[in-house]
Amino acid sequence: MIVPAYNAAGWLHSALASVAGQTRLPDEVVVVDDCSTDATSQVAEAWRAILPLVVVRHEVNRGLGATRRTGIDASTGDLVALLDADDVWLPDHLQVLEDVWNRSGGLVTARALRWAPGRALARRDTGGRVPVPVPQAQLPDAYWENFVFPTVLFSRRDYERAGGFSDLRRSEDWDLWVRMLRTGLRVTSAGQPTVLYRLSSGSLSAGHGTLETDIALLEGWLRDAEPAHRPVVAASLRR
């Protein structure tokens, strides 16, 4: 499993504790410190005695896409699970997603409950807010919105066939999911919430933080999408 982390010392303990508490423990845990200026690496190192942990540190800040790619390159397993450093897995998360993958293959997306620490959890999970479309509609719908929650499970083979994470600092996940769908892969949702998705004002996806990158992605897709899908890409770009 892969944990990209940048200045995450304040919450990385919680993320790694949730990994250590899994009913199905991961075979390896790779934390990639994207040149943090706080104690992120030291917090990660503190879990070496408990988790099968590898800590990799970038010497310059490279952003989420490159950091996720570094983590996957440093891992050895056939299956890849992602966890953001500020989120928390519920105890059955990895087992639930692996069971779904064993039945369906492809890209398995978690369902998450929005969580502002100190306040009540959201009553509806991300799978209810943005449901996964039926298989034949997934690629065109992915051009309209990113319906895949970034805490996912997929095979290394499928990831590499799609070209892996790009160097995008934002919307790197949306970019990859579209490329994976274009290879014929399909998305399956976990049947229950297994993640707490921490909300904070500093989130990269807060407000319009990804808008410039999203526009660039859509412009590229408008040029190279198959003709039947270009109208939905154009509509998404106009929106």
Side-chain angles (χ1 to χ4, degrees):
M1 65 154 293
I2 313 302
V3 185
Y6 174 67
N7 286 351
W11 46 77
L12 186 57
H13 274 307
S14 296
L16 294 178
S18 76
V19 175
Q22 291 295 296
T23 57
R24 189 276 195 229
L25 289 171
D27 299 320
E28 59 184 351
V29 179
V30 180
V31 176
V32 184
D33 180 354
D34 192 21
C35 196
S36 297
T37 58
D38 67 0
T40 291
S41 288
Q42 293 92 318
V43 169
E45 293 284 356
W47 287 88
R48 278 191 183 275
I50 300 170
L51 293 170
L53 185 72
V54 174
V55 179
V56 181
R57 179 175 168 83
H58 284 165
E59 295 304 317
V60 295
N61 181 267
R62 298 175 60 189
L64 265 175
T67 302
R68 294 188 199 277
R69 188 176 66 247
T70 293
I72 295 172
D73 289 347
S75 68
T76 61
D78 293 330
L79 290 180
V80 177
L82 301 182
L83 172 63
D84 285 348
D86 54 348
D87 293 340
V88 170
W89 282 355
L90 299 180
D92 60 351
H93 168 82
L94 197 54
Q95 187 66 67
V96 167
L97 265 63
E98 188 173 33
D99 288 347
V100 174
W101 189 87
N102 284 333
R103 293 193 301 269
S104 306
L107 182 63
V108 181
T109 179
R111 299 177 66 151
L113 292 167
R114 292 172 176 262
W115 170 47
R119 300 169 58 186
L121 292 173
R123 295 189 177 185
R124 187 167 58 156
D125 65 63
T126 54
R129 293 167 59 93
V130 186
V132 172
V134 296
Q136 61 269 26
Q138 287 182 8
L139 180 54
D141 282 11
Y143 290 129
W144 180 253
E145 65 178 337
N146 183 3
F147 56 79
V148 180
F149 188 72
T151 303
V152 295
L153 182 76
F154 49 78
S155 75
R156 179 182 299 274
R157 181 181 62 182
D158 288 334
Y159 166 82
E160 292 176 346
R161 185 172 59 170
F165 278 110
S166 69
D167 283 335
L168 288 175
R169 286 181 170 269
R170 301 178 179 186
S171 299
E172 79 296 332
D173 55 338
W174 193 20
D175 170 55
L176 177 60
W177 312 151
V178 166
R179 285 187 281 113
M180 292 179 88
L181 286 167
R182 283 177 165 184
T183 69
L185 208 68
R186 289 300 172 256
V187 180
T188 304
S189 176
Q192 65 203 60
T194 61
V195 179
L196 300 184
Y197 171 48
R198 187 189 300 263
L199 299 178
S200 68
S201 60
S203 171
L204 280 178
S205 58
H208 298 291
T210 67
L211 184 59
E212 184 177 350
T213 302
D214 293 348
I215 289 172
L217 283 173
L218 286 161
E219 288 175 339
W221 294 334
L222 188 59
R223 290 189 296 270
D224 59 24
E226 62 181 86
H229 294 157
R230 287 176 189 165
V232 70
V233 179
S236 185
L237 185 57
R238 288 195 299 271
R239 181 185 63 167

